[in-house]
Amino acid sequence: MEYTTLGDTGMEVSEICLGCMSFGGGREWTLDREESEALIDRAIDLGINFFDTANVYSTGESEEILGSALEGYDRDRQVVATKVFGEMADHPNAQGLSRKAIEQELANSLDRLGMDTVDLYQIHRWDRDTPVETTLRTLDDAVRRGQVRYIGASSMWAHQFAEALHTSDSLDLERFATMQNHYNVLYREEEREMLPLCDRENVGVIPWSPLARGVAARPHEEVAATTRGETDEYLQGMPYLQGGGEEINERVEELAAEYGISMAQVALAWLLDKERVDAPIVGTSSVEHLEDAVEATEVDLDDSDVEYLEEPYEPLPIAGHE
Ligand SMILES: NC(=O)c1ccc[n+]([C@@H]2O[C@H](COP(=O)([O-])OP(=O)(O)OC[C@H]3O[C@@H](n4cnc5c(N)ncnc54)[C@H](OP(=O)(O)O)[C@@H]3O)[C@@H](O)[C@H]2O)c1
């Protein structure tokens, strides 16, 4: 496994981050506790030290599973990231980024993880109802209390992220060290504004759905028949195969055949080739696919392959945030 420095944190993370959204009950495509723990064990065997979960994944169960799976390992070796924003209970202060919501949710996340400190605490979305200064002061306090080591953000408009960075700098508060955004070979809208901003601000980039929720990992005509293709409503709303998407998917398949590797490896190698990307957050429910993702860190695409994959892309509607 190769390791990389996450943004300007100085913290070393594996080039593949294991996404934990598929852990815990509730949906057809998620794994139960035992299966999830086996996948986490294999990830650690393979050298993965970076895990991304959220309070909302399986309504807290993903955090519980990750925490109990890591219990048997040296905590110092693992980099654990979680998130706050989404609705966790049926009352108005169990969501959003107010001081009340963040402080309650952080305590709940640490409790479920069974940890005193989380390495990276991310805001899952922008909260239009809370001034960003309030959110940043709350996160800064959490860092000072030792509950959080670094703070990060996830999908939002670049102007919002720029405002947050400017606010933290002008008030001398902890600044967002990472951006977890929606970026893959079939969805590249982040190249317009967000990625250049992250580059300029030395913010680490950890893309979510790096395989376009599986659409970049198999021929497009097969996607609808997979469990996730049939049941993941979020996937069904994604524009991955619009514009030049089908053509890109076919080119991923063609290059995979040419190099004798999997489509997932071509799609991940394309992302890992981007200097601004630190570690894609891969989601999988299979040990074989996890191993495939780790092997992708050894694949080098030629510049001509990258150009070939990118050439059919057409602008897409924004997907993943409002
Ligand atoms: N911040 C946010 O708003 C946000 C949003 C979405 C996701 N995330 C994070 O990103 C992580 C990954 O997201 P994701 O699961 O949506 O996206 P993904 O990694 O792009 O796609 C996962 C899908 O790809 C399939 N797959 C993986 N490897 C494969 C292979 N070698 N061959 C064929 N299919 C393969 C998986 O199927 P199998 O299960 O069969 O392997 C699964 O259906 C999440 O766990 C979460 O941590 C964050």
Side-chain angles (χ1 to χ4, degrees), residues 20 44 53 60 68 111 143 151 162 183 214 222 226 275 299-300 308:
C20 302
I44 292 174
T53 182
S68 79
D111 194 37
V143 173
I151 62 170
Y183 185 40
E222 291 177 13
T226 61
E275 253 181 51
V299 175
D300 276 322
Y308 186 60

Side-chain angles (χ1 to χ4, degrees), residues 93-110:
N93 289 307
Q95 60 194 303
L97 301 177
S98 67
R99 179 174 287 273
K100 180 165 172 65
I102 291 178
E103 289 184 350
Q104 289 172 174
E105 286 308 320
L106 175 58
N108 293 339
S109 286
L110 290 171

Side-chain angles (χ1 to χ4, degrees), residues 261-273:
I261 58 178
S262 69
M263 288 180 68
Q265 288 174 335
V266 172
L268 289 174
W270 175 85
L271 258 183
L272 289 162
D273 181 69

Side-chain angles (χ1 to χ4, degrees), residues 231-288:
T231 59
D232 180 356
E233 283 169 18
Y234 208 72
L235 166 58
Q236 290 158 359
M238 285 294 176
Y240 298 136
L241 296 174
Q242 293 174 23
E246 287 193 5
E247 176 76 27
I248 298 165
N249 173 281
E250 285 157 15
R251 292 186 184 199
V252 171
E253 187 182 4
E254 193 185 316
L255 286 182
E258 196 179 304
Y259 284 107
I261 58 178
S262 69
M263 288 180 68
Q265 288 174 335
V266 172
L268 289 174
W270 175 85
L271 258 183
L272 289 162
D273 181 69
K274 301 288 169 208
E275 253 181 51
R276 292 188 193 110
V277 170
D278 287 334
I281 307 174
V282 176
T284 180
S285 56
S286 119
V287 166
E288 194 193 331

Side-chain angles (χ1 to χ4, degrees), residues 54-57 59-60 63 85-90 94-95 105 112:
N55 59 348
V56 286
Y57 295 165
T59 330
E63 289 181 326
F85 173 75
E87 185 178 331
M88 284 300 286
D90 187 20
Q95 60 194 303
E105 286 308 320
R112 285 188 292 262

